[in-house]
Amino acid sequence: MQKKKTLVIGASENPARYSYLAVKKLTANQHPVVALGIKKGSIGNTIIETEKKPLDDIDTVTLYINPARQPDYYDYIISLHPNRIIFNPGTENETLEELAHKNNIATQEACTLVLLSTGQY
């Protein structure tokens, strides 16, 4: 299985959050993970960053923030040139999908946890 460096936007230290579970499951599947959230912290050995830092080789951006908060991330996400953006349930955003397609970035409306569990990640 190819390892896909993944940026999780909306990462949280709260174990009840899907973003927390995604970081845990991605790392368990040996995918390199960068976590970005509004509060500093960590999920296992993964540090939650709070600044939008330049990153190289991001394959996948997986979203865990609602569409109303996403415009602040549009330019950042596009600047990373990921291969795809995953819109987890509740994060679907037609504007960002169109922007991604204009920049040759694939989009997928899916659950990262399900994709990992079924070997489709």
Side-chain angles (χ1 to χ4, degrees), residues 39-116:
K39 294 182 197 169
K40 285 187 180 272
S42 64
I43 302 169
N45 293 328
T46 303
I47 302 296
I48 299 173
E49 303 287 344
T50 57
E51 294 179 33
K52 300 175 199 146
K53 297 178 180 176
L55 300 167
D56 292 324
D57 303 324
I58 295 293
D59 177 83
T60 301
V61 173
T62 185
L63 297 173
Y64 289 95
I65 56 173
N66 72 49
R69 296 200 43 226
Q70 292 174 18
D72 291 340
Y73 293 86
Y74 288 177
D75 291 339
Y76 178 63
I77 292 168
I78 299 304
S79 76
L80 299 174
H81 307 289
N83 290 322
R84 69 175 166 171
I85 300 170
I86 298 174
F87 291 88
N88 286 279
T91 67
E92 298 88 349
N93 179 338
E94 195 173 302
T95 303
L96 181 52
E97 283 196 55
E98 288 175 11
L99 186 59
H101 293 153
K102 286 180 186 172
N103 286 276
N104 298 314
I105 300 167
T107 61
Q108 193 171 7
E109 291 183 7
C111 175
T112 298
L113 296 170
V114 171
L115 293 173
L116 286 163

